[in-house]
Amino acid sequence: MIEEGRALFLQIAESVEDAIIDGSLAEESQAPSTNELAAFYRINPATAAKGVAMLADKGVLYKRRGIGMFVAPGARELLMNERRAAFADRFVEPLLAEARKLGLGPEDLQLLIRDRAAAQVAAITEGDAR
């Protein structure tokens, strides 16, 4: 799970964020401790603490004195909004730029996306039926 070339604390923070987004780490539930994260990923506890501190600074985690870190109320929505904005910047903007070059309008893109999504659903359904 650890990628070479990316800061470990960012990867740790992102894995906690992923757990919050997919619901496996619910709001108001206790987050893994820095020692648990360090042991799981076999990294220095200071590195794990840096990732946790980053999430606390963003308002995703908060500290209950003497107990540990917990997922803040509204953390999932905060992260979803952040990821949606990043998705738009990373994928939608280049898609729109390329579509303009090809003379495709919003309706053309909508039709292409709808057709591709339907084809994927059909392939998944067909694969499940086997």
Side-chain angles (χ1 to χ4, degrees):
M1 131 92 209
I2 297 294
E3 295 174 37
E4 294 293 325
R6 274 190 70 214
L8 290 173
F9 76 94
L10 291 175
Q11 294 181 58
I12 299 302
E14 191 173 287
S15 73
V16 173
E17 288 179 353
D18 288 344
I20 293 168
I21 287 172
D22 73 17
S24 59
L25 194 55
E27 293 179 355
E28 295 291 346
S29 66
Q30 188 165 13
S33 71
T34 55
N35 287 334
E36 289 169 334
L37 290 168
F40 183 80
Y41 292 106
R42 297 180 181 195
I43 59 173
N44 186 314
T47 302
K50 191 172 177 181
V52 169
M54 188 180 98
L55 293 173
D57 289 345
K58 282 173 61 173
V60 172
L61 299 178
Y62 69 97
K63 187 175 189 171
R64 287 190 190 164
R65 193 178 182 130
I67 301 174
M69 300 301 283
F70 287 79
V71 179
R76 186 173 188 276
E77 189 63 28
L78 174 81
L79 293 170
M80 292 289 283
N81 289 336
E82 189 178 283
R83 296 261 179 114
R84 286 178 182 136
F87 177 82
D89 291 343
R90 186 171 176 195
F91 298 105
V92 177
E93 290 296 331
L95 173 74
L96 292 172
E98 184 67 16
R100 272 192 299 276
K101 290 179 193 171
L102 299 174
L104 298 172
E107 295 80 21
D108 300 317
L109 285 176
Q110 190 177 21
L111 184 62
L112 279 171
I113 292 169
R114 192 175 295 147
D115 288 349
R116 294 293 175 112
Q120 280 190 348
V121 169
I124 291 169
T125 303
E126 186 179 302
D128 289 345
R130 291 182 186 176

